[in-house]
Amino acid sequence: MKKTLLLASSVALLFTGALQTTALAVNASSESHSGFVNPQFDPSNPYSNFWWGFPLAGSQHTITSDYGNRPGEFHKGIDLRAKFINVYAAQNGTILGAGNWGSNGGLYIILQTDNTDPDSGKKIIARYLHLSEQNVKSGRVTKDQIIGVSGNSGGVDPHLHFDVNNAGKYTGLTQADMIDPKIFYPYPRITFTYLNALFSAEDVGTYEVDEDENDELFFDNALIDFVGRDKFENWKKTIEKDEVKLSNFKEYFEISNEKERELKLNYYGI
Ligand SMILES: [Zn+2]
């Protein structure tokens, strides 16, 4: 992984951003122990001073399924677009477990961080699911250490499921135990893009969405903006619902794989 390069470029972006307003420039003098400028430190967020590292390299990430309610279940974490790439320890800590949950989560790594939750008084635990490799299975790890490789274990399309809890446990977790992982990344160097779910609000509750990330059922903002959202919506109305798939969309709007890569590169800068 070219982690150093990616992070270096995000610092450069931040520096540019910090020059845009006086307020940002003033606060930009504070740096984390990772050396990152953090002009948007939020004192009301009890987790922002933990300075967690992101589980994936780079500064811009795509959430394919967000934390919170989704049809049929509560999603305990975030699903990140990640196809067989390195995953990193979010914080210094201890590996509590690394095994295989089969169809429920595939290969997993459980990290007990050194951070104590201010509410529960328990060590905050992060879980990495659907991995293809586990580089570390026990013992101590340091923040930003490579601990495994994302994958598709557990019968899913490739993605990283990352979740966080303050209940001090890693199985039998309920909604009340979970914390939105995004809260740990208030820094402007981390930005999220959300893919557009295929089904509209009125479909929720009638359509069962799998835990799986199905690439055919998600339409990237980079592609939608390219053709125009109105045209995208009109196209969906003209065809049968089960034909609303990414491959059909690309064919209709004559977007080659190469064009798709180019659009995403331009849109996300990575
Ligand atoms: Zn998930």
Side-chain angles (χ1 to χ4, degrees), residues 98-136:
N100 191 343
W101 272 324
S103 59
N104 289 320
L107 296 177
Y108 64 82
I109 290 178
I110 312 295
L111 169 64
Q112 180 189 59
T113 72
D114 289 349
N115 292 136
T116 300
D117 186 273
D119 293 327
S120 71
K122 293 182 173 152
K123 290 278 175 62
I124 296 174
I125 289 175
R127 308 192 307 169
Y128 302 71
L129 308 185
H130 307 302
L131 303 175
S132 61
E133 292 177 32
Q134 297 149 314
N135 296 8
V136 186

Side-chain angles (χ1 to χ4, degrees), residues 169-235:
K169 57 186 183 179
Y170 59 82
T171 57
L173 291 159
T174 67
Q175 180 173 346
D177 299 325
M178 310 311 296
I179 304 169
D180 185 344
K182 298 192 297 299
I183 293 172
F184 290 81
Y185 305 99
Y187 327 123
R189 71 181 175 88
I190 299 291
T191 57
F192 297 108
T193 300
Y194 300 86
L195 293 193
N196 292 275
L198 165 59
F199 294 96
S200 59
E202 52 262 37
D203 293 317
V204 171
T206 61
Y207 182 79
E208 191 77 12
V209 174
D210 291 334
E211 164 75 13
D212 308 15
E213 169 197 341
N214 185 343
D215 283 346
E216 276 286 65
L217 300 184
F218 285 94
F219 295 87
D220 197 294
N221 280 331
L223 303 186
I224 293 173
D225 285 1
F226 173 67
V227 302
R229 194 161 295 273
D230 289 348
K231 286 184 178 169
F232 171 66
E233 295 297 337
N234 285 338
W235 167 73

